[in-house]
Each structure stands twice: as structure tokens, then as C-alpha cells.
Amino acid sequence: MPEPITTVGIGAIAAYLGKDGLQKLLGPTADYLGGELQEFTKKRIENVGKIFSKAEEKLGENIDSPGHVPPKVLKTIINEGSYCDDEVAVDYFGGILASSRTDLGRDDRGARIAKILDGMSTYQIRSHYVIYSLIKKVFSESGYMYNQDDRHKMQLFIPMNIYIASMQFDEKEMQQFGGIINHALFGLNSDDLIEGFQYGPLEQIKKHFVDASSDGIIVAPSAFGAELYLWGHGKGNQDLSYALNAKELTDLQDVPLYLDGVSATDNEHNKSRQQDASEAGASA
């Protein structure tokens, strides 16, 4: 007689984690798992296992400190995240789970963040990751804050070929590229995950950024977009400006991120970077 799906499911998820991983990660909330997994297919269970593994990885040594995940957060991540197998979405759900593990019993903010993530398409999630990762790389040493005064200074120009390379579109997706980028950027903007954008051919982009050398995207970050980026990295309790911490927020290995032609549209920032590079070369 086959084992009930609850027993099989919990065992399959536990296999993705280290010793006593489920109990360490979830705390007492692990007792809720049986009922949640009762109707799950094998594929959904595998996806949950990957999300839990990502959460454990992001917690690092902190997984051995006291803490638990609120049941409401666990329910949302299991029900919504179990349908996601895209690597960026899995990583984000894992980060939200890791961010939600605290010693504050009623801190269930992660449930709302997970719902927002579930409402985004794969293209929107990956576009969000690419945009904020490039912003992090360009402005990590700027001293900027994610406040109202500095956010507009972090407006970025991304050449279209760089965006396409990071999105890893296949041939069929490229045939629908216009509709996909329209969907991705307008969707992020309508959800306040970016603070305005432009995209198009070189002549159009030059009207907004004269130093552009190719067709591309001009995009500005938002406070909410930075918050989602932090939660996706398992750092949801950090100040928003931590989203520029290139040393601590590591990039996904399987998502290419290139800086060729990527540039701040704020000329003052570009002058500062050029001066820093010149001084570094002189000291060498």
C-alpha cells in the first residue's frame, strides 16, 4: 500500500534540506505541512522543495538561531510558489521564506509579498531581477539612498541587447518580443515596482538620454521595487538602501548580467565614476 501523499511529500521536501532542515527552517510551523501538501502533485512538491532549499541557503548560519515562519506566510508560499519552476521565481520565493523566519510571531508581511510575486508573470519577475541587479552594480558605491531625493538619480539606461541577453529569450519569444517587453515594463510600472520607463529605438531614446549609443530601456527604481528585491534575497528586514549592497547581495549564476553600455542617465554620477576610475588608475 503506497504511503499517503502527506508523508511522501514531507519526505521529498526534507530531502532538499540539511539535517533537521524542516524543523530549523519553519520552527513549530512545520506541523502545518501535512495538510497543506495533501493534494499536491509530485511536480508541485519538487518546486516547494527547491524553494525551501533556497531559503535554507539564504539563511546560512542564521538557520541555527531561534525563529519560525508564520503559518500564513507558509500557506501562501506553498500554495502560490508550488506552481513556479522558473529559477528566478523560485529564488524569490525562497528569499521571501527566509526573510519571514523571525522570532516575531505576528510578522506575516511575507504573505503579502508572496501574493504580489504570484501575481507577476515570469517575464515581469525576471525583468525586475535584471533591472535591480544592474542598478545595484552601477550604484553600489554611489552613497545614494533609496529615498525620494536619490531614487531619480539612479535612473538607468540599459541597451536592448543587454536586456535580451539577461532575459534569455528563445527564438519563439523573440518573435513576440514587442508584446513581451510591453507586458513586462508596463506591468512593473502599474504595480509601482519601477518609477517610470522609456524604451524604443536609438533616436527615441536619445530624446531622453543623449549619450545613448543603441536602442534600449530607460528605467528608474521605486521604493517598493527595492523592497521586493530585498525580500527576494532573504533580506526583507534590511533598510531599502541595502538593495545597493553588491558585496552581500549575490547574483544568480544562471542569469547573465552584463554592464556593456549600461549607464546612469545622471551625468553627475557618470562624471564621478569616471573620476574614481581615473584616480584608481593613477594610484595603480
Side-chain angles (χ1 to χ4, degrees), residues 18 26 35 46 65 72 77 89 123 127 160 175 180 205 214 261 282:
L26 302 178
E46 289 176 354
S65 62
K72 186 177 180 180
I77 287 178
Y123 298 124
S127 293
M160 198 64 77
Q175 293 173 5
I180 290 174
I205 293 298
S214 68

Side-chain angles (χ1 to χ4, degrees), residues 265-277:
T265 61
D266 179 23
N267 286 329
E268 289 304 315
H269 177 75
N270 287 331
K271 289 177 182 178
S272 176
R273 290 182 69 195
Q274 291 170 1
Q275 182 178 354
D276 289 345

